[in-house]
Amino acid sequence: MVGGASASGASGNVAGVRIVVAGDAKTGKSSLIVTAATDNYPNNVPPLLPPTRLPEDVYPDRVPVTVIDTSSSPENRGRLVEEIMRADAVVLTYACDRLETLDRLSTFWLPELRRLEVNVPVIVVGCMLDKRDDQHSVSLEQVMSPIMQQFREIETCIECSALNHIQVPEVFYYAQKAVLHPTAPLFDQEQQVLRPRCVRALKRIFILCDHDRDGALSDAELNDFQVKCFNAPLQPSEIVVVKSVVQEKLREGVDDRGLTLTGFLFLHALFIEKGRLETTWTVLRKFGYNNEIRLHDDQLPPPIKRYPDQSTELTNEAVEFLRRIFATFDIDGDGALRSAELEDLFSTAPENPWNEAPYEDAVQKTALGGLSLDSFLSLWSLMTLLDPIRTMETLIYIGYGTDPSTAIRVTRRRRLNRRKQQTDRTVCHCFVFGPKEAGKSAILNSFIGRLFPEEYVPTTNDRYAVNSVDQPLVRFIKQDKTHKIKMGAKKTLVLREIPEEGVKKILSSRDALAACDVAVFVHDSSREASWQKATEMLVDVASQGETSGYEMPCLIVANKDDLDPYLTEIQDSTRVSQDMGIETPIPVSAKLGDFSNLFQRIANAAMNPHMSIPETAAGKSRKQYHRLVNRSLLFVSVGAAVAIVGLAAYRVYAARKNSSS
């Protein structure tokens, strides 16, 4: 891996680089730009230069560079800010013979860039080196080290003289290089180590190039890698040198099979330390990575086209791949992925996608905090439901070899499921509504094996819990009258808890209920106020479903059955369920762990999308109106048909009468 990056591979096909030069007045900004562009020092410089294009053949990447001159005067403040906000890199100048301009970098210019939230590389340039008094000179490192420690966004510091043509081209070379080959995503300069995301990407690349999967790159594999990345083969003598350099510094970097992953990572760290960032960037970009060290959009499948009431699920092919991956990384064979094993599984992805909400606490875990196969697949189902593009991206990172679009299927529309009175979904999405302290969180906790909480902790954001649910036994009667019992298909149930404050926000969007296969309304059966709020939510959600066309089965859950119900709880809940045409409330006690098969009943309701759909009074009135209109249209149609038939018969009769006479 010698390098020799091609321009297109190293630059990542960047169309152009925009460099803004800023700093105090009379620090040599304009002279620097003119000298870089024309290779001649200007005798007369205008107060402000127009945008200046540098010759493309000056730098090896051959990427167009446009340099923007700025004025530090107060009247040009707005223009200065505008240009800085559009910059790909900022060059800050100070005068080598005026220390006050150097002090202004740390007291004004660098803090100002931070205040403006300018997140681009900064190159600090000491101009007019020819005017500095050498008798009182201090080394650049001594001057800049404290400033660079304070402002990590500084990429490079350099001194130059436009008059004497000292290091003028280098100023913009380093600025361009900082844009095309940035250090920050690859290397932690404070710790002097590769950044975790860079390590993960290089590990994936190593595995892709290790064709025989023996954990090392042989000479032939190293040569293939070199040709792919740099369009040039490695000579046998060069391979020997590369391996010798690694082995001299890191014994475990080379073994009898070839260059190990440790050695591969060491080589890249060495390149970066020596300033050859373009080598590592060429490798990353050849394998489809962008500047955030994620796969570029053109490496991913296009967005999935679907209606709001269609969902996304894993295909059987993807599930089988995930089963194999689970078995591969279950090193101790205990049927669960411990934290270290899971991190190893995702070690070729930019990060573990489940270390953040809504995934981190969404499934049941083993006593040691691991994931069983069911929990592992449940998390994949949840991610596929919420973010199918991320699922496909992550599958690519962990080695899904076929077209990632084959891993996802789009389900049938919910409204079509209602007409067919059945669903093709294996993942059911349930919205859990209810007032505060009704016990929604306790129900979700029980669903994923968590203990009942002793203290009430309010839920402020949407929260998910996902698990597999066995469907009820199905009884078949054969022709000989014998009975056969068959277990129903296993479904994945996703519970989404919606805080009381979040209900209005959801109902403000027309399509918010499109993803809901079934809705559950939880209330505290010992408190009348809780029941009233839950009923209001039920009516509001049902009304939204009727007007948007996204009706769904609804269930009422009477929680805290271990407490005495309020006086008219049974009559009230029975009346509402009968009036709205849904099942009677399901009594449960999360505290006692008595759930009356709640989760199976939720899944069963989702599997029967035409049943237990509530009707509001307004909905019933609309239906009655439509029936009357349709009946009237039917009468009109029948009357018109009779009139047409009568007219036709009369014409036939009249024609016969005329012919007989």
Side-chain angles (χ1 to χ4, degrees), residues 109-180:
W109 287 104
L110 289 163
E112 179 68 0
L113 292 182
R114 285 187 175 179
R115 189 188 69 80
L116 295 172
E117 297 182 354
V118 176
N119 188 26
V120 298
V122 176
I123 311 298
V124 172
V125 181
C127 296
M128 295 182 275
L129 182 60
D130 51 281
K131 292 186 177 182
R132 187 171 64 188
D133 183 0
D134 289 337
Q135 291 184 348
H136 300 91
S137 65
V138 182
S139 72
L140 180 64
E141 185 177 354
Q142 285 179 299
V143 170
M144 292 307 305
S145 287
I147 299 176
M148 293 186 74
Q149 286 291 326
Q150 184 181 357
F151 299 94
R152 294 288 177 179
E153 55 270 39
I154 298 175
E155 191 82 16
T156 304
C157 299
I158 186 173
E159 294 177 328
C160 70
S161 168
L163 177 65
N164 294 337
H165 295 267
I166 298 174
Q167 296 199 125
V168 171
E170 285 83 349
V171 170
F172 297 104
Y173 167 73
Y174 286 123
Q176 183 200 60
K177 186 178 179 180
V179 175
L180 302 182

Side-chain angles (χ1 to χ4, degrees), residues 55-330:
E56 288 185 26
D57 58 356
V58 172
Y59 305 120
D61 288 300
R62 303 186 68 84
V63 173
V65 174
T66 301
V67 183
I68 307 299
D69 193 13
T70 61
S71 170
S72 59
S73 63
E75 58 268 22
N76 289 310
R77 162 76 182 169
R79 177 70 183 276
L80 171 66
V81 171
E82 181 184 332
E83 294 293 358
I84 286 176
M85 299 300 288
R86 296 174 59 198
D88 296 316
V90 174
V91 169
L92 288 181
T93 61
Y94 68 93
C96 289
D97 62 332
R98 292 162 53 206
L99 290 179
E100 68 275 12
T101 61
L102 175 61
D103 293 338
R104 284 265 296 169
L105 294 181
S106 54
T107 59
F108 174 74
W109 287 104
L110 289 163
E112 179 68 0
L113 292 182
R114 285 187 175 179
R115 189 188 69 80
L116 295 172
E117 297 182 354
V118 176
N119 188 26
V120 298
V122 176
I123 311 298
V124 172
V125 181
C127 296
M128 295 182 275
L129 182 60
D130 51 281
K131 292 186 177 182
R132 187 171 64 188
D133 183 0
D134 289 337
Q135 291 184 348
H136 300 91
S137 65
V138 182
S139 72
L140 180 64
E141 185 177 354
Q142 285 179 299
V143 170
M144 292 307 305
S145 287
I147 299 176
M148 293 186 74
Q149 286 291 326
Q150 184 181 357
F151 299 94
R152 294 288 177 179
E153 55 270 39
I154 298 175
E155 191 82 16
T156 304
C157 299
I158 186 173
E159 294 177 328
C160 70
S161 168
L163 177 65
N164 294 337
H165 295 267
I166 298 174
Q167 296 199 125
V168 171
E170 285 83 349
V171 170
F172 297 104
Y173 167 73
Y174 286 123
Q176 183 200 60
K177 186 178 179 180
V179 175
L180 302 182
H181 320 301
T183 304
L186 303 183
F187 200 71
D188 185 331
Q189 295 196 37
E190 187 171 351
Q191 300 293 328
Q192 290 293 295
V193 294
L194 293 172
R195 291 197 181 275
R197 187 172 286 190
C198 178
V199 171
R200 289 167 171 265
L202 291 174
K203 180 179 179 180
R204 174 174 174 265
I205 291 169
F206 178 90
I207 292 171
L208 291 174
C209 295
D210 181 18
H211 303 305
D212 57 10
R213 296 291 187 269
D214 67 346
L217 298 183
S218 65
D219 290 359
E221 289 168 338
L222 263 177
N223 191 60
D224 290 344
F225 168 81
Q226 176 78 12
V227 171
K228 176 179 174 64
C229 294
F230 306 107
N231 302 317
L234 278 173
Q235 298 302 317
S237 59
E238 292 176 312
I239 294 177
V240 170
V241 170
V242 168
K243 290 160 66 173
S244 297
V245 168
V246 173
Q247 202 161 26
E248 183 182 334
K249 300 286 187 181
L250 196 70
R251 184 172 294 277
E252 64 270 25
V254 178
D255 62 20
D256 55 356
R257 295 164 299 171
L259 185 71
T260 65
L261 172 61
T262 305
F264 186 75
L265 295 174
F266 169 78
L267 267 180
H268 282 282
L270 191 63
F271 287 138
I272 293 168
E273 286 176 5
K274 291 186 174 182
R276 291 176 55 186
L277 290 93
E278 63 274 13
T279 300
T280 300
W281 275 117
T282 298
V283 171
L284 291 169
R285 285 167 178 151
K286 281 291 183 180
F287 282 86
Y289 286 88
N290 59 21
N291 277 15
E292 287 72 45
I293 317 188
R294 303 190 75 93
L295 286 176
H296 199 276
D297 288 346
D298 61 13
Q299 301 291 311
L300 304 175
I304 297 172
K305 295 181 179 179
R306 52 178 169 145
Y307 289 99
D309 61 344
Q310 289 181 292
S311 64
T312 45
E313 298 181 358
L314 293 167
T315 61
N316 291 334
E317 184 179 357
V319 171
E320 286 307 310
F321 167 78
L322 292 172
R323 288 178 182 274
R324 293 194 300 271
I325 283 287
F326 182 93
T328 299
F329 285 89
D330 181 16

